[in-house]
Amino acid sequence: MTQMIGKQSIRFESPVYILNSASIVGKKEGEGPMGELFDVICEDAMFGNQTWEEAESTLQKEAVTMALGKAGMQSAEIRYLFAGDLLGQLIASSFGTASYQIPMFGLYGACSTCGEALSLGAMTIAGGYAAHVLCVTSSHFASAEKQFRFPLEYGNQRPLSATWTVTGAGAFVLSDQKEGKGNAASARITGITTGKIVDFGIKDSMNMGAAMAPAAADTIYHNFMDYNRSPKDYDRIVTGDLGAIGRTLLIDLLKEKGFDIGTVHMDCGIEIFDADKQDTHAGGSGCGCSAVTLSAYILRQIKSGTWKRVLFVPTGALLSTVSFNEGKTVPGIAHAVVLETIS
Amino acid sequence: MTQMIGKQSIRFESPVYILNSASIVGKKEGEGPMGELFDVICEDAMFGNQTWEEAESTLQKEAVTMALGKAGMQSAEIRYLFAGDLLGQLIASSFGTASYQIPMFGLYGACSTCGEALSLGAMTIAGGYAAHVLCVTSSHFASAEKQFRFPLEYGNQRPLSATWTVTGAGAFVLSDQKEGKGNAASARITGITTGKIVDFGIKDSMNMGAAMAPAAADTIYHNFMDYNRSPKDYDRIVTGDLGAIGRTLLIDLLKEKGFDIGTVHMDCGIEIFDADKQDTHAGGSGCGCSAVTLSAYILRQIKSGTWKRVLFVPTGALLSTVSFNEGKTVPGIAHAVVLETIS
């Protein structure tokens, strides 16, 4: 088999399809530019629960239920679940997905986890290990603030470089078939480029875009090298949550390597909020940001054929409060997935 | 392809070998019954660092370096790294493995992560996605106590059901070849059974053996069903860190299902310490516990042919301090890997 291409990419010889997907978001995301595209917008930030963590678990659970429902499938038909979130020890995923009783791989790649989940899910399908797998990732503004930053009650001021963690979850049913029960798949996953940890020595946890941009640049560069492609080969190159500052850095870093992605680049974190009107500063972030944008917006463009080939590159900042408090840097990682229109 | 068997298992049609491995542990583990088998025992619990977290990162780094060295390989020859630990946001792995510059998948399955890493690593090799991958997991007594329990300075008393987190890391080079540079592989991975989250409603975070035993029983039971096997088909069934209480529960739970694994069962947590002499109560635990026991002891027995077929089942308790403090249960998960002598 010659599926390995270049240094860090795979070209799938067996087909892998995103059969269906679902997105659920909070009120603020629903008020943003993509508001009308999400499957569910919930006015209650607690989603009917007692704690922020339970709320995030409910996001995952609902996203999975919806994705299964849209695909006309039962959880017993799913062979593996790839799930992750930003909370310590992945408690949003553990408590959110337990009831489905699907064999489960817990993943952590910070906000890149959606890319990691789709990568491993696609490898699992193309490798003949499953006919159907589910990938789900989530984030919640309040559980993330509690985990990483300040109690909400402080009303702490945020620098302009800070991002706003998206409250949302996206779930994806991957399949070896391009037709489900009554619906055609949204896109084909034709390859992946798996990221390395890239550390430029950034120590400002309130400027994660700068911390992640070098990792995104590295993964995108290697995607170009491994596939012998350039920006013109993609209708869009979509990063996860670099935000306004990270986007500028990414474009500069790739220009230094001889590639101008300015015209095809899009960032989910920039798209999901109207930063001026919604006071979200540099943009949205979180495991849920790229996931809900992929489900609600990007896959629609691919399914309709408006975009023929998209490089989807969720980006993660690898820090914890412990590493930050101990003065460590914030390394980044980015996992790219090649999505194409089904011909 | 018919690699999928039963409900949640894979039988690998393409060969996957554990080419080599390495273990590094702390002083206490070195004084235990397996002391002389570990590759490195470090007297300094800080491993030359300033913080416990850096110490754990160093464990991973050293284990990877040793495993590569024993296999006669450079990091550039490794296509993917599967890494995980117990700390929030996997900081031991992020800071421990960044310098290798290997495309990386971060994993979290609590103390089952070694099984998760070997499962995904083996799927990657057998799927033709890589010739060589590395799997590494770690834990450190002091970073885990800080993460999950009490500051060491409290000198807090521990109930007899509590386990002692192993300070150690194990790294494994997986390959599609059974001969490396000058060395024969230790074992062949012939299959996996991936665990579901199992929640029996246990809420005592100081009795993780009881929380994990139902998950181990479920995974082992499904391994028997999927492969049409029974305990006599394995020379050993090795759980990760159930400890003395969890072991009894596991054996009872499987007896209820009609299988008596009493004579072939072994638990890494029970083996690694002399509980009476070393005051470790129910036994050792942590991502590092099963990893160093596999590298130092189990693989030796398989390579020598003393054990022909072993079911290796690392077990994880899915909790965080947040979930515990919010009164949630402690669900468990267990991932099984079938290891066989190379014929």
Side-chain angles (χ1 to χ4, degrees), chain B residues 237-259:
Chain B
I237 293 173
V238 186
T239 48
D241 50 0
L242 295 184
I245 293 170
R247 168 187 156 87
T248 307
L249 261 170
L250 170 67
I251 290 172
D252 286 351
L253 286 167
L254 283 171
K255 266 190 195 150
E256 284 174 14
K257 298 238 182 197
F259 295 106

Side-chain angles (χ1 to χ4, degrees), chain A residues 41-324:
Chain A
I41 300 164
C42 187
E43 295 287 311
D44 172 19
M46 294 297 261
F47 295 84
N49 298 281
Q50 299 298 315
T51 69
W52 300 122
E53 292 76 20
E54 286 174 354
E56 190 175 338
S57 289
T58 298
L59 284 172
Q60 288 213 3
K61 196 174 205 165
E62 294 298 311
V64 168
T65 300
M66 274 191 291
L68 285 172
K70 288 166 86 172
M73 297 179 73
Q74 306 289 323
S75 62
E77 296 173 77
I78 302 295
R79 200 161 173 95
Y80 297 103
L81 178 71
F82 295 87
D85 59 84
L86 299 177
L87 303 181
Q89 291 77 46
L90 300 190
I91 55 170
S93 303
S94 299
F95 291 101
T97 65
S99 62
Y100 290 107
Q101 290 294 292
I102 302 169
M104 186 250 202
F105 291 110
L107 308 178
Y108 184 78
C111 307
S112 75
T113 308
C114 183
E116 183 181 357
L118 292 172
S119 296
L120 289 168
M123 288 164 70
T124 299
I125 297 280
Y129 304 126
H132 307 289
V133 305
L134 242 163
C135 304
V136 61
T137 56
S138 67
S139 52
H140 189 296
F141 173 73
S143 64
E145 288 294 305
K146 178 174 156 184
Q147 171 77 83
F148 292 105
R149 300 182 188 101
F150 300 95
L152 291 180
E153 294 79 0
Y154 279 11
N156 194 67
Q157 286 209 335
R158 298 144 39 80
L160 291 175
S161 60
T163 49
W164 186 280
T165 305
V166 164
T167 297
F172 305 87
V173 177
L174 270 49
S175 171
D176 59 0
Q177 301 294 319
K178 67 177 166 183
E179 295 282 340
K181 288 164 190 157
N183 74 285
S186 309
R188 184 174 165 186
I189 299 178
T190 57
I192 60 171
T193 301
T194 303
K196 306 185 293 268
I197 298 174
V198 178
D199 190 351
F200 266 32
I202 307 282
K203 290 196 175 188
D204 182 359
S205 70
M206 290 288 188
N207 189 357
M208 293 196 296
M212 296 185 290
D218 188 74
T219 298
I220 294 167
Y221 173 75
H222 281 287
N223 179 272
F224 292 162
M225 292 294 103
D226 292 347
Y227 280 88
N228 193 25
R229 286 182 186 159
S230 68
K232 66 171 171 40
D233 293 307
Y234 292 104
D235 293 299
R236 285 293 182 284
I237 294 173
V238 186
T239 47
D241 50 2
L242 295 182
I245 293 171
R247 169 186 153 89
T248 308
L249 260 171
L250 169 66
I251 290 171
D252 286 350
L253 285 168
L254 282 171
K255 267 189 194 151
E256 284 175 15
K257 298 238 184 200
F259 295 104
D260 186 352
I261 65 163
T263 53
V264 292
H265 178 255
M266 180 188 120
D267 182 69
C268 301
I270 295 174
E271 300 297 321
I272 198 164
F273 294 122
D274 183 328
D276 292 334
K277 284 188 197 155
Q278 297 188 282
D279 194 32
T280 49
H281 298 335
S285 61
C287 277
C289 178
S290 55
V292 300
T293 307
L294 176 61
S295 175
Y297 181 58
I298 301 167
L299 287 179
R300 273 194 172 83
Q301 304 301 316
I302 296 173
K303 187 167 186 176
S304 70
T306 309
W307 298 341
K308 304 279 188 223
R309 187 190 285 149
V310 170
L311 188 64
F312 177 64
V313 196
T315 40
L318 300 168
L319 81 161
S320 77
T321 48
V322 175
S323 70
F324 176 76

Side-chain angles (χ1 to χ4, degrees), chain B residues 39 110 212 232 272 296 298 304 323 329 331:
Chain B
D39 293 310
M212 297 186 289
K232 67 172 170 38
I272 199 166
I298 301 166
S304 70
S323 70
T329 56

Side-chain angles (χ1 to χ4, degrees), chain B residues 176-204:
Chain B
D176 59 0
Q177 302 293 317
K178 68 177 166 183
E179 296 279 341
K181 287 165 189 154
N183 75 285
S186 308
R188 183 173 166 188
I189 299 179
T190 57
I192 60 171
T193 301
T194 302
K196 308 185 292 271
I197 298 175
V198 178
D199 190 349
F200 266 32
I202 306 282
K203 290 195 173 186
D204 181 1

Side-chain angles (χ1 to χ4, degrees), chain A residues 7-57:
Chain A
K7 282 194 176 173
Q8 56 197 77
S9 299
I10 292 170
R11 177 183 282 134
F12 292 117
E13 294 189 343
S14 306
V16 184
Y17 300 99
I18 300 183
L19 193 56
N20 224 317
S21 68
S23 60
I24 177 171
V25 297
K27 183 164 177 276
K28 192 179 183 85
E29 291 72 22
E31 292 165 353
M34 289 192 284
E36 64 188 25
L37 300 176
F38 300 117
D39 293 308
V40 171
I41 300 164
C42 187
E43 295 287 311
D44 172 19
M46 294 297 261
F47 295 84
N49 298 281
Q50 299 298 315
T51 69
W52 300 122
E53 292 76 20
E54 286 174 354
E56 190 175 338
S57 289

Side-chain angles (χ1 to χ4, degrees), chain A residues 82-83 90 105-109 116 120, chain B residues 60 81-87 89-90 93 104-110 112-121 134-137 287 335:
Chain A
F82 295 87
L90 300 190
F105 291 110
L107 308 178
Y108 184 78
E116 183 181 357
L120 289 168
Chain B
Q60 288 213 3
L81 179 70
F82 295 86
D85 60 84
L86 300 178
L87 304 181
Q89 291 76 43
L90 299 190
S93 303
M104 188 250 202
F105 292 110
L107 309 178
Y108 184 79
S112 76
T113 309
C114 181
E116 183 180 358
L118 292 172
S119 296
L120 290 167
L134 242 163
C135 304
V136 62
T137 56
C287 278
H335 297 300

